[in-house]
Amino acid sequence: GIAGQITTSGGDTYQVDAKGLEVDQAFIKGLIGALCVDQITNNYLTASKLDGDGTTNDASTLGGGEYTNMEHYWDEGYGYLYGYNDLHTGGSDDNSIGVAEGKGVLLNKYLKKVNESNEPGIADVIYDAFKLGRAAIVAGDYVLRDEQAAIIKQKLDMIIVYKAIDYLSGGAETISSGAEREDTFHGLSEGYGFVLSLQFTDYFTNSEVDTMLDQMMEGDGFWDITAEELNSMVDQIESAVGVSAS
């Protein structure tokens, strides 16, 4: 019931609020849906954005090295997934050199995790769809473009789904094992953020997500949430998706 610092049985220390929520983790994982996925699949790669007033792909007045607005919008969507790059500050992180580098702390990091565990090959599918969709824009084939955008949306939505399930089921397993309650807080905080992100996928509404978040924070929050409650949320997510993602 008091915000402060907790230490896990493994010796890791985290700062949490009175209900055990690690606010920075909830915020960062929430940004994965509310910023990255939302901007890519609900904004830049939508037909309404790409087509605009019907002149967005007019290249008749462009000079060398210039791009149409439609090409630019598609590239902006691409950047929300692959654009992290600190080479200009002397670092070595650069997502542009591969399909799943896992750099940064947002969507690309979890693309790599999902590619290595939940759905091997998902990174290639997404990357290939970005490439083919971009080529389709240049060729003026907007049916093919939209088909690739749909592939990207479905796969990015599944990254959110997989990670929400992973963290909720992981918390349930830890509680069921009889481990110290504090051992669940970090993972459940990440799970909270991914549940928040579910509302930016095709699978959940804002109202449905708010209900799940309220359930996680009922009473004393993570101090007294049960394995049964967490597993029920996992079942709800899997049912909404239509497959067993765990």
Side-chain angles (χ1 to χ4, degrees), residues 142-204:
Y142 305 139
V143 172
L144 180 60
R145 177 202 70 184
D146 292 344
E147 289 173 351
Q148 302 313 302
I151 292 170
I152 294 167
K153 179 168 182 57
Q154 193 274 332
K155 293 302 182 182
L156 292 185
D157 282 0
M158 285 305 299
I159 293 175
I160 302 297
V161 168
Y162 285 131
K163 297 315 298 181
I165 289 172
D166 285 349
Y167 284 117
L168 295 180
S169 60
E173 290 173 6
T174 301
I175 291 170
S176 297
S177 75
E180 295 293 331
R181 175 62 61 155
E182 292 89 335
D183 289 352
T184 68
F185 290 176
H186 181 67
L188 287 181
S189 296
E190 294 183 273
Y192 182 100
F194 277 108
V195 168
L196 188 155
S197 287
L198 285 171
Q199 65 192 289
F200 303 100
T201 73
D202 278 349
Y203 299 116
F204 284 90

Side-chain angles (χ1 to χ4, degrees), residues 110-125:
Y110 289 90
L111 168 62
K112 182 176 183 180
K113 288 179 179 291
V114 168
N115 191 61
E116 293 176 345
S117 56
N118 310 85
E119 189 177 332
I122 189 174
D124 287 302
V125 172

